[in-house]
Amino acid sequence: MTITDLTEKDSAEYKFRLITTDEGRCSGLPGMMLTVTDILLEMDPTSVSEGERVTLRCRTKCTVGLNPTYIWYKNGQRLTNPITSYNSLILDQVSSEDAGNYSCAVEGLERILSPEETLTVRCECMGC
């Protein structure tokens, strides 16, 4: 059996029963507990002036291995060679080019993306 497109609302105890053509029955008691956790992106702060620093953190409640690698996306495109520290993406001295929608995933589980967070960068120069 395969269950797809799981969300946290699908967390529950699941029980199975098999009925054969010979009136045999097999019960899957006591059942199996399924816990579904989402991946989150935390951004601090979400609105900055050019030249400031922003830290994005990717968090999940599930166990994803001893030393997972996090993948970062901006506007749906994977970032190449980002400056990271474990589960954090560090944007140092941001510019208007850094503004956009960010999300993250755990390597190997890329199909499960965090919800996007939007970074707004205010221009502090004359004539912007």
Side-chain angles (χ1 to χ4, degrees):
M1 180 175 149
T2 302
I3 304 173
T4 59
D5 301 318
L6 292 168
T7 67
E8 282 187 288
K9 293 176 187 172
D10 296 309
S11 295
E13 182 178 12
Y14 288 83
K15 300 174 187 172
F16 302 93
R17 184 171 64 176
L18 176 66
I19 301 173
T20 68
T21 56
D22 296 331
E23 294 187 32
R25 292 173 191 234
C26 180
S27 172
L29 294 177
M32 174 180 268
M33 190 66 190
L34 174 67
T35 303
V36 181
T37 60
D38 286 333
I39 190 165
L40 299 178
L41 173 62
E42 298 171 347
M43 184 183 301
D44 183 38
T46 58
S47 181
V48 294
S49 296
E50 287 187 321
E52 293 183 340
R53 179 184 179 132
V54 177
T55 301
L56 294 82
R57 286 184 188 81
C58 200
R59 298 195 188 274
T60 180
K61 295 177 189 171
C62 63
T63 304
V64 289
L66 294 176
N67 195 13
T69 299
Y70 292 89
I71 299 169
W72 299 93
Y73 298 87
K74 177 184 168 196
N75 299 328
Q77 300 294 315
R78 185 173 175 165
L79 295 176
T80 55
N81 302 315
I83 299 171
T84 62
S85 173
Y86 181 58
N87 67 335
S88 298
L89 171 65
I90 299 152
L91 301 176
D92 215 6
Q93 296 191 354
V94 297
S95 71
S96 59
E97 293 178 7
D98 293 310
N101 298 312
Y102 288 83
S103 59
C104 62
V106 175
E107 189 172 79
L109 301 170
E110 290 91 340
R111 69 187 189 287
I112 306 170
L113 283 173
S114 71
E116 290 184 333
E117 288 287 335
T118 301
L119 175 63
T120 303
V121 180
R122 295 180 303 274
C123 182
E124 297 294 324
C125 58
M126 297 298 218
C128 291

